[in-house]
Each structure stands twice: as structure tokens, then as C-alpha cells.
């Protein structure tokens, strides 16, 4: 055996031990043969065995963003309650793995035509809904069509505007045809709106019943309060180690954190960053701090005065001190942004664009040019948006005073924030989850006709580039297009982006978690219920 191959073999053996695929005797024999001492081999086995998933128990999960107005309609998913519940009791065609790669969920495999204008998804034949009905191509077609067509009210409608037809070839093959190439389509299928629901005879979906084909089935629950679920024995992938899952909506940060410390819950989806260091001292609690493409945004309605003036918009962008906010609000758990919604954690990130920094003098000059000296604006926010969201708005108001701008911070109720405030009031503070590619993010929130165009921004050149970029298979040309789009959003767009926030959440030490946690949402890509276990 070559010496250089030993570490790799040991790593593989340890991974097999974690998954329960090798006995202690075989592990020890291989390790000793590889030259390890008995003490070292025993230590490795103990560590691997502790990380091996075990079934059993009830996982109690405290969530930070849920409203009584939430629904089971996947087209309306927006709060963490809906998103986390969706990933727990429903399935998607594909899923984002812990290492950030794309993996299978209902689709075992997928392939594209040469120009990526037609995709074929092969479904697993093993999936069933909680009602006992097998999952077929008809369910996938109906579920995707729920977000298409003139009558669709889905927030994800804009993501499928390029889809011309969705057909089946037997019960377990789905074909999606597009107007042009889209190399990101399999990634797009991970969007949390595209949950697969049972099809009705008329081609619509049954979303009201809450039936799903995910790892857990709903036993009972009430939006904004609590959900009780139990393992779906027909779950078609690995995981679902807990017998039962209880999801508790705990919008108040103090109540949420207290529940974690006392052991009333085993995990919370968001912790107060001010107390992060204190929690880390508690031997019973493990804080997870995961860099991501999630973002905090401050959209301004570009069709509403005074934000309809680009000089006013840029003056407000120049009046935020991102470094101070990251230090005092995010406690360093963030990546500095530059007013375009394309994270360094996403592909095609445009390097070298000049950073917009805090510059009150330039902001004053722009306000004078716009005839808007002595500007006063209202900024809406709520505690449930982000840990420290209200404090952040107050700090921004202090920073903006140097530009001669008065920012009135409006503290809105947690309940109903995303239904009554966001997309309703002209200047708000918003938390966006991570999207896998810039095309998904831009199509959701920056495309002219997107349902979630939170700043009401319309830029003809941006929309033209968005269409071209998704079908461009030349990587260098695609990179150039995203660079130009970023500059347009930065200099003309209506959104201030202070930072891309890390996902900072926590779990009790008796919970076992994988070595890598997905960065697509808090709590391991919103899949803690199916990926974690009692250690």
C-alpha cells in the first residue's frame, strides 16, 4: 500500500462508519493495517460512531418567522414557517446538498438537449404521497403549471415564463420545453415555491389538504402557532431520523432563545447576534454560523416620490455605513454588499466593481441636484425580519443624518409583515434567503414583471441582458452580461443592500448534524428535520 493513500482510505472508512456501513471490528482491522495505533483507531471509531445517524425521538424546532395568514399554497410561500414546513412535508424535483451541490429529490436524474432548451427529468418510482397515492409525472406537471398561465397568482410565475410546454413520457418521465436555453433549470427546480402536490383530475393541484410526499406528514397544526408531524415511512431518500417533529413559531427573539437555553426546543432558526458569544459558552448549545448568499435589502419604490429620482436613490445608498452596520448589527457574521443582488457565494460573481462606500458629502450633492435637500423618509421594519433589524434601521437613521436626511424608523408588527408591509409600503427592510444562481435571484426580484419586484424597478437593458444570459452557454460571455447587470442595479436600481448575512442559528448539543450544512436556508437548507438526528 502506498503511504500517500492511507489518509484517503482512513477518511473513507470513517465516512462509512458514520453511515453505519462498516462494523467496529472491520474498522479497527483496516485502521491497524494502515499503521494506526489502537488508541488512535479507537478514537476515530468513537468519533465516527457518535456522528452516525440514529432513528427516534421528537425534534422540537423553534422558528423565527411565521404568520397566522400563511397558507399551504406553494405559490404564496414567503415566510420561514411556510418554507421550512414545505421542505419538511413536501418534496421538490431536485435539492441542494449540504456541500452546495445539486442532488436528487423526486427526480433521480435529468439531462438537457444540446442547446439546453429542453430538459428531461426521470422521476423515482418509489415516491408516494402521505395519502398513499404514488407520485407520478401528472403530479409534477400540475404542480409546475400551478405557477404558470395568465390566471396564476404565484410569486414564482416569473421564473417559468420561458417554459412553453411540460409533458410526460410515461408515469415517471417529465419533459420541459423552453423558448430558449436555460442551463440553470435543474437548479431552478429547488426554488421553495416548486413543491410537488397531488394533481386533481382537472389538472390543478390539491394544496389545501396539506398532503405531501416529503419526509414527514402533517398530523395537526395551525399557521402562526405550531405544527406536529410524524415520519413518512414512504420517504424515498435518506434521512427522516426523528420519529416526530414539532415546529413552533417563536417570533419573539427572547422567547426563542430562552426556549433553546431551557431545552424546550432542540434548535432555533435564528439567534440574537448580540448574545451569540454568550450562547457559545454554554456547553449544551452549538451555534452554527454559515456564510451564504442570503441578503438584507432595503428596497425603495422607484415609481413613488421621492424614490422615483435616481439621484435621491443613490443619495440614500451613499448614506449607509456598511462597515459599521456589519460590525455593530451583524457582529461580523456577514459579507459586505455593493447594491447589486449577486453574492460572492453564487457563480459568475463580477469581481472588480468599485465598492460604494459611505459618503455623506456626495449624498448631499446629489440631493441638491435633485432639489430634495432636507429629505425625510419612512423606513419600515420588524424584529422578525432579521436579528437586530430594528437596531439596524435606527443605526442607518443616525448615519443618514450626516447627509441631511431624516429617516423615521417605523416598527411594524411581526405578524403579517410580509403580507401587509413588504411590497405595500415604499421603503422597507427585507430578509432574502439564498438563491443558487444570479438568474434565479434577478428573475424573482429584479425582472420588470416579477411578482416580487420589491423596488418596482424597470430597466430595459437589464431585462434584455437577463434574457440573454440565461441562454448563453459561453461562460465568459455570460460573466460579462452579469457584470453589466450588476452595474445597472448598483447605479440605477432602487435597492440598498447592506450585506449578505450568514445564517446564524443554533441547536442543542444532543443533536447530531452532518459535517457540512447547506447554505441555501437556515437550519441546513431548511431540512434540519430530515437531515439531523439525536446523537
Amino acid at each position: 500500500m502506498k503511504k500517500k493513500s492511507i489518509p484517503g482510505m482512513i477518511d473513507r472508512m470513517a465516512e462509512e462508519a458514520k453511515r453505519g456501513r462498516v462494523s467496529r471490528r472491520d474498522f479497527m482491522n483496516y485502521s491497524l493495517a494502515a499503521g494506526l495505533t489502537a488508541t488512535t483507531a479507537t478514537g476515530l471509531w468513537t468519533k465516527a460512531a457518535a456522528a452516525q445517524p440514529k432513528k427516534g425521538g421528537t425534534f422540537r424546532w423553534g422558528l423565527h418567522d411565521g404568520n397566522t395568514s400563511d397558507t399551504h399554497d406553494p405559490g404564496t410561500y414567503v415566510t420561514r414557517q411556510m418554507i421550512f414546513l414545505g421542505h419538511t412535508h413536501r418534496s421538490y424535483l431536485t435539492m441542494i446538498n449540504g456541500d452546495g451541490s445539486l442532488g436528487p429529490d423526486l427526480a433521480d436524474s435529468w439531462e438537457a438537449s444540446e442547446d439546453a432548451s429542453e430538459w428531461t427529468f426521470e422521476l423515482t418510482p418509489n415516491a408516494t404521497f402521505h395519502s398513499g397515492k404514488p407520485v407520478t409525472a401528472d403530479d409534477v406537471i400540475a404542480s409546475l403549471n400551478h405557477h404558470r398561465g395568465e390566471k396564476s397568482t404565484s410569486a414564482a410565475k416569473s421564473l417559468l415564463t420561458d417554459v412553453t410546454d411540460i409533458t410526460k413520457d410515461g408515469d415517471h418521465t417529465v419533459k420541459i420545453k423552453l423558448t430558449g436555453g436555460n442551463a440553470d433549470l435543474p437548479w431552478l427546480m429547488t426554488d421553495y415555491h416548486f413543491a410537488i402536490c397531488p394533481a386533481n383530475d382537472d389538472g390543478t393541484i390539491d394544496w389545501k389538504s396539506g398532503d405531501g410526499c416529503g419526509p414527514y406528514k402533517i398530523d395537526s397544526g395551525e399557521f402562526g402557532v405550531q405544527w406536529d408531524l410524524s415520519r413518512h415511512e414512504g420517504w424515498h431518500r435518506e434521512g427522516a431520523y426523528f420519529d416526530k417533529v414539532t415546529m413552533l413559531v417563536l417570533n419573539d427573539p427572547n422567547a426563542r432563545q430562552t426556549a433553546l437555553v431551557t431545552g424546550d426546543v432542540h434548535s432555533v432558526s435564528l439567534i440574537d447576534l448580540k448574545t451569540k458569544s454568550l450562547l457559545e459558552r454554554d456547553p449544551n448549545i452549538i451555534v452554527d454560523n454559515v456564510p451564504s448568499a442570503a441578503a438584507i435589502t432595503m428596497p425603495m419604490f422607484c415609481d413613488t416620490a421621492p424614490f422615483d429620482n435616481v439621484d435621491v436613490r443613490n443619495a440614500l445608498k451613499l448614506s449607509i455605513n456598511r462597515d459599521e452596520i456589519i460590525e455593530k448589527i451583524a457582529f461580523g457574521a456577514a459579507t459586505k454588499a455593493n447594491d447589486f443582488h449577486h453574492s460572492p457565494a453564487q457563480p459568475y460573481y463580477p469581481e472588480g466593481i468599485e465598492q460604494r462606500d459611505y459618503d455623506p458629502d456626495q449624498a448631499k450633492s446629489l440631493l441638491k441636484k435633485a432639489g430634495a435637500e432636507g429629505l425625510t423618509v419612512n423606513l419600515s421594519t420588524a424584529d422578525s425580519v432579521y436579528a437586530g433589524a430594528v437596531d439596524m434601521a435606527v443605526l442607518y437613521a443616525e448615519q443618514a443624518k450626516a447627509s441631511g436626511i431624516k429617516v423615521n424608523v417605523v416598527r411594524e408588527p411581526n405578524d403579517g409583515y410580509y403580507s401587509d408591509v413588504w411590497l405595500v409600503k415604499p421603503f422597507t427592510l427585507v430578509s432574502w434567503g439564498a438563491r443558487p444562481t444570479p438568474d434565479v435571484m434577478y428573475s424573482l426580484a429584479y425582472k420588470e414583471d416579477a411578482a416580487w419586484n420589491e423596488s418596482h424597478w424597470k430597466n430595459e437593458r437589464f431585462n434584455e441582458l437577463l434574457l440573454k444570459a440565461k441562454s448563453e452557454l459561453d461562460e465568459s460571455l455570460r460573466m460579462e452580461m452579469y457584470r453589466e447587470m450588476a452595474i445597472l442595479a448598483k447605479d440605477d436600481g432602487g435597492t440598498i443592500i447592506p450585506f449578505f448575512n450568514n445564517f446564524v442559528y443554533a441547536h442543542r448539543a444532543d443533536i447530531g448534524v452532518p459535517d457540512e450544512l447547506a447554505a441555501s436556508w437556515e437550519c441546513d437548507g431548511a431540512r434540519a428535520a430530515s437531515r439531523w438526528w439525536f446523537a
Side-chain angles (χ1 to χ4, degrees):
M1 180 185 295
K2 292 183 180 180
K3 195 169 185 179
K4 65 180 181 180
S5 69
I6 291 175
M9 186 197 77
I10 295 299
D11 288 343
R12 289 192 297 273
M13 289 293 295
E15 184 61 32
E16 292 298 293
K18 287 181 184 179
R19 297 178 181 274
R21 296 172 179 167
V22 63
S23 68
R24 185 181 188 280
R25 169 186 260 176
D26 287 343
F27 181 86
M28 295 297 292
N29 287 339
Y30 279 115
S31 298
L32 294 174
L36 298 185
T37 65
T39 300
T40 301
T42 299
L44 284 173
W45 169 263
T46 301
K47 183 178 179 181
Q52 183 177 324
K54 304 174 181 64
K55 285 193 173 184
T58 297
F59 178 58
R60 293 175 62 82
W61 195 5
L63 307 185
H64 71 278
D65 175 27
N67 301 324
T68 56
S69 58
D70 293 346
T71 78
H72 284 309
D73 180 357
T76 69
Y77 282 2
V78 61
T79 66
R80 295 307 195 273
Q81 175 183 216
M82 288 190 275
I83 295 166
F84 283 37
L85 184 62
H87 283 80
T88 303
H89 84 112
R90 285 175 170 159
S91 285
Y92 298 76
L93 280 178
T94 55
M95 74 166 74
I96 296 175
N97 296 321
D99 62 1
S101 64
L102 187 67
D105 190 341
L106 283 173
D108 277 335
S109 62
W110 48 90
E111 62 178 353
S113 59
E114 189 173 345
D115 63 354
S117 65
E118 182 175 337
W119 286 85
T120 301
F121 292 84
E122 297 293 342
L123 308 180
T124 176
N126 302 320
T128 60
F129 287 102
H130 304 148
S131 58
K133 174 186 175 298
V135 179
T136 69
D138 290 328
D139 303 305
V140 173
I141 293 170
S143 296
L144 294 180
N145 282 337
H146 180 68
H147 308 277
R148 300 176 64 220
E150 293 183 5
K151 295 183 179 180
S152 174
T153 58
S154 169
K157 182 178 179 179
S158 62
L159 295 179
L160 299 179
T161 53
D162 297 334
V163 174
T164 59
D165 199 14
I166 308 177
T167 59
K168 67 176 183 177
D169 183 6
D171 284 343
H172 297 103
T173 301
V174 175
K175 293 182 178 292
I176 302 177
K177 295 183 179 180
L178 305 104
T179 56
N182 187 346
D184 291 344
L185 189 69
W187 285 96
L188 186 65
M189 292 297 103
T190 68
D191 184 272
Y192 59 85
H193 296 96
F194 299 145
I196 306 304
C197 301
N200 294 318
D201 293 338
D202 62 358
T204 61
I205 57 170
D206 169 23
W207 59 262
K208 293 183 180 180
S209 68
D211 193 9
C213 51
Y216 289 88
K217 59 183 178 181
I218 294 175
D219 294 326
S220 63
E222 180 183 352
F223 280 110
V225 184
Q226 177 175 324
W227 293 95
D228 295 299
L229 306 97
S230 57
R231 184 191 299 117
H232 173 40
E233 299 301 338
W235 170 237
H236 50 276
R237 297 294 173 195
E238 290 186 3
Y241 303 111
F242 301 115
D243 292 334
K244 295 181 180 295
V245 174
T246 295
M247 302 174 71
L248 297 165
V249 176
L250 301 172
N251 285 326
D252 180 76
N254 292 325
R256 192 167 58 247
Q257 210 139 296
T258 299
L260 177 68
V261 172
T262 59
D264 288 339
V265 298
H266 300 103
S267 177
V268 293
S269 58
L270 183 69
I271 65 168
D272 186 341
L273 295 175
K274 293 193 295 292
T275 59
K276 173 175 170 289
S277 60
L278 292 175
L279 282 179
E280 289 174 329
R281 297 176 197 168
D282 188 331
N284 298 309
I285 294 173
I286 296 173
V287 175
D288 300 299
N289 189 350
V290 183
S292 76
I296 298 300
T297 68
M298 298 163 64
M300 305 168 272
F301 284 179
C302 294
D303 55 2
T304 302
F307 312 116
D308 54 351
N309 187 307
V310 67
D311 290 324
V312 170
R313 298 198 296 268
N314 285 333
L316 286 160
K317 294 175 184 178
L318 288 162
S319 299
I320 187 167
N321 187 328
R322 293 170 175 79
D323 293 323
E324 185 180 22
I325 283 178
I326 289 173
E327 176 190 354
K328 294 181 177 179
I329 303 300
F331 293 86
T335 301
K336 189 175 180 179
N338 200 16
D339 296 333
F340 56 86
H341 208 148
H342 190 160
S343 163
Q346 293 172 318
Y348 310 109
Y349 180 73
E351 300 281 357
I353 295 178
E354 183 179 0
Q355 175 68 46
R356 173 176 282 128
D357 288 319
Y358 182 52
D359 193 338
D361 290 335
Q362 188 181 355
K364 286 181 180 179
S365 177
L366 289 176
L367 291 175
K368 184 176 181 179
K369 177 184 174 184
E373 292 172 292
L375 179 69
T376 298
V377 296
N378 293 336
L379 173 61
S380 292
T381 187
D383 289 316
S384 62
V385 172
Y386 175 74
V390 175
D391 291 339
M392 175 181 159
V394 171
L395 179 56
Y396 173 59
E398 286 297 314
Q399 295 169 347
K401 287 180 181 178
S403 302
I405 300 172
K406 182 179 180 181
V407 178
N408 296 319
V409 176
V410 182
R411 189 170 189 162
E412 306 280 2
N414 290 322
D415 190 53
Y417 184 81
Y418 283 104
S419 58
D420 302 331
V421 180
W422 180 57
L423 302 179
V424 176
K425 298 194 175 182
F427 193 23
T428 58
L429 200 147
V430 183
S431 173
W432 279 89
R435 264 59 182 191
T437 67
D439 175 69
V440 175
M441 189 66 247
Y442 285 146
S443 296
L444 271 175
Y446 292 81
K447 189 180 178 185
E448 180 176 336
D449 59 352
W452 285 357
N453 184 346
E454 60 181 357
S455 67
H456 297 189
W457 183 50
K458 297 180 181 180
N459 186 290
E460 185 177 347
R461 176 59 177 165
F462 183 93
N463 287 291
E464 177 186 344
L465 287 167
L466 180 61
L467 183 61
K468 288 182 178 179
K470 72 173 59 184
S471 60
E472 180 55 65
L473 301 180
D474 185 305
E475 297 286 300
S476 60
L477 290 177
R478 200 176 191 196
M479 175 75 81
E480 290 177 14
M481 292 177 188
Y482 282 124
R483 180 182 180 80
E484 184 178 348
M485 291 163 67
I487 293 172
L488 287 170
K490 172 178 179 280
D491 295 339
D492 184 63
T495 304
I496 303 169
I497 308 181
F499 55 77
F500 297 99
N501 56 289
N502 291 5
F503 287 138
V504 186
Y505 48 94
H507 63 271
R508 301 282 299 181
D510 61 346
I511 296 294
V513 303
D515 290 336
E516 294 181 291
L517 299 172
S520 47
W521 287 99
E522 297 96 342
C523 297
D524 204 358
R527 293 182 181 271
S530 59
R531 290 178 175 171
W532 298 1
W533 61 92
F534 282 113

